[in-house]
Amino acid sequence: MTMTSTSIPAAPAVPTVPAAPAVPRRGALRPLGQTEVRITGGFWARRQRVNGRATLAHIESRLESEGWLPNFDLASTGTLPAGRRGREFSDSEVYKYLEALAWEIGRTSDGVLEARFRAIVARVAAAQEPDGYLNTMFGRPGQEPRWANLEWGHELYCLGHLFQAAVARERTRPGADDGLLAVARRAADLVCDVFGPDGIASICGHAEIEVGLAELARLTGDERYLAQARLFIERHGAATLAEHEWGRSYYQDDVPVREADVLRGHAVRANYLSAAAVDVAVESGDDELLDALRRQWERTIARRTYITGGQGSHHQDEAFGDDWELPADRAYSETCAGIGSIMFASRLLLADGDPRYADLVERTLYNVVATSPSAEGTAFYYANTLHERVPGVPADPEATSPRAAGALRAPWFEVSCCPPNVARTFASLDAYVATADDDGVQVQQYARAEVRTTLPDGREVAFDVETNYPEDGLVRVTVRSAGEWTLGLRVPSWAVGAALRARSADGVEEREVAPGLAEVRRRFAEGDVVELDLPVAPRVSVPDPRIDAVRGCVAIERGPEVLALESVDLAPAGLDDVEGVAVDLSSPPVERDGRVWVRVAVAPSGAHAWPYGGAPDAASPATAEVPLVAYHEWAERGPSTMRVFIPVA
């Protein structure tokens, strides 16, 4: 393998606050931020390039043409509500876009993006009221009063994203004179005054303010913000919001957070709230709350999560279903819910150091977040089905699509939370690659990368990661600075039989390593190499029989990627639809010509007046070998039918 990259600056002698989305002040691990880790090639570098070159410009263009950015101009000139466009939460998409720009500027130092960032911040700042209030939908003559619709208004939700944008900017460009942090702090001070212990005793119908406040507290040291985040979290479950047609569980106002057993209700809201609750629990040393969140995560992953890592099986309320309610053809699996799940799991990883949390982050990144955007980065999935029965109709590139409608990616939605959410995730992805503790560094996500950091006692750690993962499973770490420390390499739960090799001037040490964290502690010399060989061969995954919707089916996975059967690949079987195809497990999946192939049996076709009856004909069906596609690549070749879970012949 070869690796080309641009060198990153040497780590400072004294560790600074990492340029990462979540930076807890305590916990088992700390994240390594953008100045310490740089992705230099491979799968995720390609995604970051497309994000930086195409997706960001696409988002800004639509924010302008849809009127969501001009809403701030109308607010600053006093002409609202006339001319305002977009839903009540459209302000938040501007803030998520600013956050994405902040991470991308931190990653690339792009001067054009810097100018765009500052221009948008100026428009946002001009719309802020003297007391700190900032929203284009409420609070002015002709609009509903401030805080009048906490169930649906999303005022606090929008501010939460504003706070996260300001945090990203300050961590990537400390002391920048653009004014965004001051805007965020004025708004946060107002929230504390209005919703504090003696103020409005309620919550926002969409959790997000909590995670924004917690991170703003970490950034600024202002404990009022953390106290307000805790207050909002503790108010959940107190029935302060009006009853909802789908129950108060929709916005997690049915049961106190620390008493819940599982995530429920709207999947994005649930994950954002849980991520914030981890922040509060860690910062305040609340072990009871943290234990409750661990318990909820365990059951949610075991019973309410798709094989892709996706969450949410209800379309009407974008919500989790009951335990084992995971229908493939009705999977909602909203992209934003996947990102919220990553936020939740990555915070638990930092708190506990358990690599299972990083396993879920990897699964969700490859099979939800990477699935949403097109290869060009200018069309997106809002929902991520696991079984498409009807080929979709290509979206009009100039149109705005209804939420989650269509079986093909669309350029924009009336509810367009997912595109800027994807953009901020890809732009900040370097900060998810590795973590550190007092004695070393752990590689949590595999990408070609450079890692340069300093441990708390001043030991410098520098190494390069070379890999073509997930195309192959070899991960090679080359040490670039001498010293004694511990290198940890995550072995995913599926990687049974992984091998670890340590090469130095003294020879080669090799051992098999079990799923978990494989560690090498030694006095490293510059040029030492540690290799982790992960078995990424295709494997058959059988769903729990309690998942009724896919009983009798299997999925095929390869490394971290879930694979799918797509109709455009069925020509060898003489078919153009995935219905009526069953996998023949007497022949295991094989790799050939860079693809995974399975043998399928083709059920006899024919019309039936009634789809129920006796046992089918036991005659042996015809079989054919067909290729599978990585789920994140499905529908890139035009309209098709698709399925992840395939019936067994």
Side-chain angles (χ1 to χ4, degrees):
M1 290 178 294
T2 60
M3 179 175 69
T4 59
S5 64
T6 302
S7 296
I8 58 177
V14 179
T16 57
V17 176
V23 184
R25 291 178 286 197
R26 67 190 77 191
L29 306 174
R30 72 173 180 90
L32 298 188
Q34 284 185 339
T35 60
E36 299 165 291
V37 177
R38 178 165 298 169
I39 296 172
T40 56
F43 185 95
W44 292 118
R46 292 192 295 271
R47 292 303 180 113
Q48 287 188 317
R49 283 196 298 271
V50 171
N51 189 58
R53 295 173 183 173
T55 302
L56 292 176
H58 172 79
I59 291 171
E60 184 171 337
S61 173
R62 296 308 292 253
L63 291 175
E64 290 282 12
S65 64
E66 296 291 324
W68 303 355
L69 253 173
N71 287 340
F72 289 90
D73 304 332
L74 297 175
S76 65
T77 57
T79 56
L80 287 175
R84 189 193 184 279
R85 297 169 61 192
R87 292 285 300 272
E88 61 275 12
F89 38 72
S90 64
D91 292 2
S92 70
E93 316 312 350
V94 174
Y95 302 147
K96 276 184 281 188
Y97 176 63
L98 281 174
E99 183 185 350
L101 283 180
W103 294 120
E104 187 67 11
I105 293 164
R107 198 177 70 83
T108 65
S109 298
D110 188 303
V112 173
L113 294 185
E114 175 73 20
R116 285 160 60 184
F117 182 92
R118 289 177 176 271
I120 294 172
V121 169
R123 294 165 74 180
V124 169
Q128 189 170 36
E129 300 290 328
D131 66 351
Y133 184 78
L134 182 56
N135 191 278
T136 67
M137 184 75 175
F138 295 89
R140 295 172 179 81
Q143 296 180 322
E144 284 190 83
R146 298 178 181 184
W147 326 120
N149 188 355
L150 290 172
E151 288 79 9
W152 291 102
H154 288 73
E155 290 162 277
L156 293 171
Y157 166 85
C158 290
L159 291 178
H161 281 299
L162 170 68
F163 302 161
Q164 286 186 294
V167 168
R169 177 61 166 176
E170 185 65 15
R171 287 189 178 145
T172 54
R173 289 292 182 269
D177 60 352
D178 52 70
L180 183 60
L181 181 59
V183 169
R185 293 203 67 171
R186 284 194 294 271
D189 291 342
L190 177 66
V191 169
C192 292
D193 290 342
V194 173
F195 290 91
D198 300 321
I200 300 173
S202 191
I203 59 175
C204 183
H206 196 312
E208 163 62 18
I209 183 71
E210 300 87 351
V211 73
L213 281 168
E215 214 57 50
L216 194 61
R218 288 167 169 166
L219 176 77
T220 64
D222 192 328
E223 295 304 312
R224 274 204 315 163
Y225 302 153
L226 183 66
Q228 187 61 51
R230 169 181 279 279
L231 193 56
F232 280 135
I233 288 166
E234 296 292 2
R235 285 173 181 166
H236 275 267
T240 62
L241 300 179
E243 183 61 64
H244 192 282
E245 61 180 306
W246 297 307
R248 284 197 175 92
S249 63
Y250 175 78
Y251 26 56
Q252 295 78 48
D253 196 28
D254 57 329
V255 179
V257 173
R258 64 182 67 243
E259 295 178 16
D261 293 320
V262 69
L263 300 195
R264 70 246 173 265
H266 190 280
V268 182
R269 288 164 162 84
N271 275 295
Y272 282 1
L273 178 64
S274 298
V278 174
D279 289 336
V280 167
V282 167
E283 296 303 317
S284 58
D286 191 335
D287 292 338
E288 178 192 57
L289 178 57
L290 194 56
D291 282 344
L293 294 161
R294 293 186 185 107
R295 180 179 69 243
Q296 293 165 33
W297 186 87
E298 294 277 358
R299 182 169 163 185
T300 301
I301 301 311
R303 302 185 179 196
R304 299 188 176 191
T305 301
Y306 284 99
I307 191 170
T308 56
Q311 295 180 343
S313 58
H314 286 184
H315 280 241
Q316 67 176 9
D317 50 352
E318 303 183 301
F320 288 95
D322 293 329
D323 289 352
W324 319 115
E325 186 186 354
L326 295 166
D329 56 352
R330 291 295 294 165
Y332 196 69
S333 184
E334 183 182 339
T335 299
C336 287
I339 291 169
S341 174
I342 289 170
M343 292 167 58
F344 183 19
S346 63
R347 283 162 168 79
L348 287 173
L349 171 67
L350 297 176
D352 295 350
D354 190 331
R356 292 180 308 145
Y357 300 125
D359 281 357
L360 182 71
V361 170
E362 176 181 71
R363 180 175 294 275
T364 310
L365 280 172
Y366 276 103
N367 302 297
V368 177
V369 183
T371 306
S372 176
S374 65
E376 296 78 17
T378 55
F380 308 86
Y381 277 130
Y382 185 108
N384 295 278
T385 185
L386 275 65
H387 185 172
E388 184 57 52
R389 296 181 181 273
V390 180
V393 176
D396 180 347
E398 303 302 322
T400 297
S401 299
R403 182 191 67 196
L408 294 174
R409 296 171 180 88
W412 203 250
F413 303 94
E414 293 174 1
V415 179
S416 246
C417 48
C418 297
N421 224 353
V422 168
R424 68 172 181 153
T425 303
F426 283 163
S428 63
L429 203 56
D430 304 74
Y432 291 89
V433 169
T435 55
D437 58 18
D438 288 349
D439 194 47
V441 173
Q442 307 79 35
V443 182
Q444 304 289 0
Q445 304 299 330
Y446 293 117
R448 208 173 301 170
E450 293 179 348
V451 179
R452 307 286 188 270
T453 192
T454 302
L455 301 181
D457 61 5
R459 284 177 290 167
E460 292 188 3
V461 173
F463 60 85
D464 298 336
V465 181
E466 300 175 69
T467 184
N468 290 322
Y469 190 82
E471 294 176 30
D472 68 54
L474 180 61
V475 179
R476 180 181 294 128
V477 174
T478 303
V479 177
R480 299 302 185 193
S481 63
E484 186 173 354
W485 52 282
T486 301
L487 171 66
L489 298 172
R490 180 179 60 87
V491 181
S493 59
W494 47 262
V496 177
L500 186 71
R501 291 180 293 275
R503 305 178 187 274
S504 68
D506 297 328
V508 179
E509 298 177 12
E510 184 169 358
R511 58 188 166 97
E512 185 173 310
V513 288
L517 188 67
E519 293 188 318
V520 177
R521 175 168 178 76
R522 62 167 55 187
R523 181 173 294 280
F524 288 101
E526 186 174 355
D528 283 357
V529 173
V530 177
E531 293 178 341
L532 177 65
D533 208 344
L534 299 171
V536 295
R539 63 191 185 277
V540 175
S541 295
V542 180
D544 189 295
R546 289 170 288 187
I547 306 175
D548 295 300
V550 291
R551 188 181 293 121
C553 299
V554 298
I556 311 298
E557 299 181 83
R558 183 188 179 279
E561 296 174 308
V562 173
L563 306 183
L565 180 65
E566 198 171 3
S567 58
V568 294
D569 292 315
L570 291 179
L575 296 173
D576 59 4
D577 190 1
V578 297
E579 299 304 321
V581 176
V583 63
D584 181 357
L585 293 181
S586 65
S587 298
V590 296
E591 288 193 75
R592 187 173 66 250
D593 303 325
R595 299 192 70 177
V596 174
W597 296 70
V598 294
R599 181 158 292 278
V600 298
V602 182
S605 60
H608 300 280
W610 182 245
Y612 309 97
D617 188 347
S620 297
T623 64
E625 203 175 30
V626 299
L628 302 177
V629 65
Y631 174 70
H632 58 73
E633 294 178 350
W634 91 273
E636 289 286 4
R637 296 170 291 175
S640 66
T641 60
M642 177 276 299
R643 65 187 310 157
V644 166
F645 283 101
I646 310 169
V648 177

